[in-house]
Amino acid sequence: MKKIREVTLKEIKSPGGSLSFFEKGKEINFDIKRIYYIYKFCEQNRRGFHAHKELKQVMFCPHGKIKVEFTDGRMKQSYLLDDPTKILVIEKGYWREFVSLEEGSILFVGASDVYDEKDYIRDYNEYLKWEEDNNESAI
Ligand code: TYD
C-alpha cells in the first residue's frame, strides 16, 4: 500500500490551543477542490464501501477516533485516526471502509475534484475487475 501515506503533522502549541496544517507541494500533491465531512456517525456502523477511479483525497479526524480500512483486492491496510495531527494522503483506486470507534467522531476529507458519481465504484466485484484491468496497485 505505497500509495497511501500517513503523515504526522506538527502541533503548534500556544496558550490558546493547538494548530496543525498541511499544504500542497509538501504533505499533499494536489489542489483541494472540495471539502466534506462525515459526522453523527452511527457507532460501529461501517460506511464507505466504494473506490474512486481518479479522485485523490486527504483525510483526518479532528475529533474522536475512526478506523479507516483500504484494500486493492489483494492486500488490506488499516489506519487509526485518533489524533488531529494524523492525516492520510490517499491516491486514486483503493476500496475504503470507515468505522467510528468513538461517539462524536468526525471524518474530514479534502478531495482533488468536485463530486462526480461517475468516479465511484460501489460494487466490490466490479472494483476487483477494474483494479485488475487498470493495474493501479503499487504493491
Ligand atoms: P458517499 O460518498 O457514498 O458516503 P460514504 O462513502 O461515507 O457512505 O456519499 C453519501 C451520499 O452523499 C451519496 O448520495 C452522495 C452524496 N455526496 C454528495 O452529494 N457530495 C459529496 O461531496 C459527497 C462526498 C457525497
Side-chain angles (χ1 to χ4, degrees), residues 5 23-25 27-33 56-58 88-91 110-113:
R5 282 185 296 122
E23 296 177 342
K24 185 188 172 192
E27 293 81 7
I28 62 169
N29 59 350
F30 53 87
D31 284 323
I32 292 177
K33 292 195 183 161
K56 299 177 184 188
Q57 293 178 317
V58 55
L88 292 179
V89 185
I90 306 140
E91 293 290 325
S112 63
D113 215 336

Side-chain angles (χ1 to χ4, degrees), residues 34 36 38 47-50 52 98 115 117 120 122:
R34 173 170 50 116
Y36 65 91
I38 302 173
R47 52 185 301 163
F49 301 104
H50 64 254
H52 288 286
F98 315 116
Y115 175 73
E117 186 58 36
Y120 280 73
R122 293 190 183 271

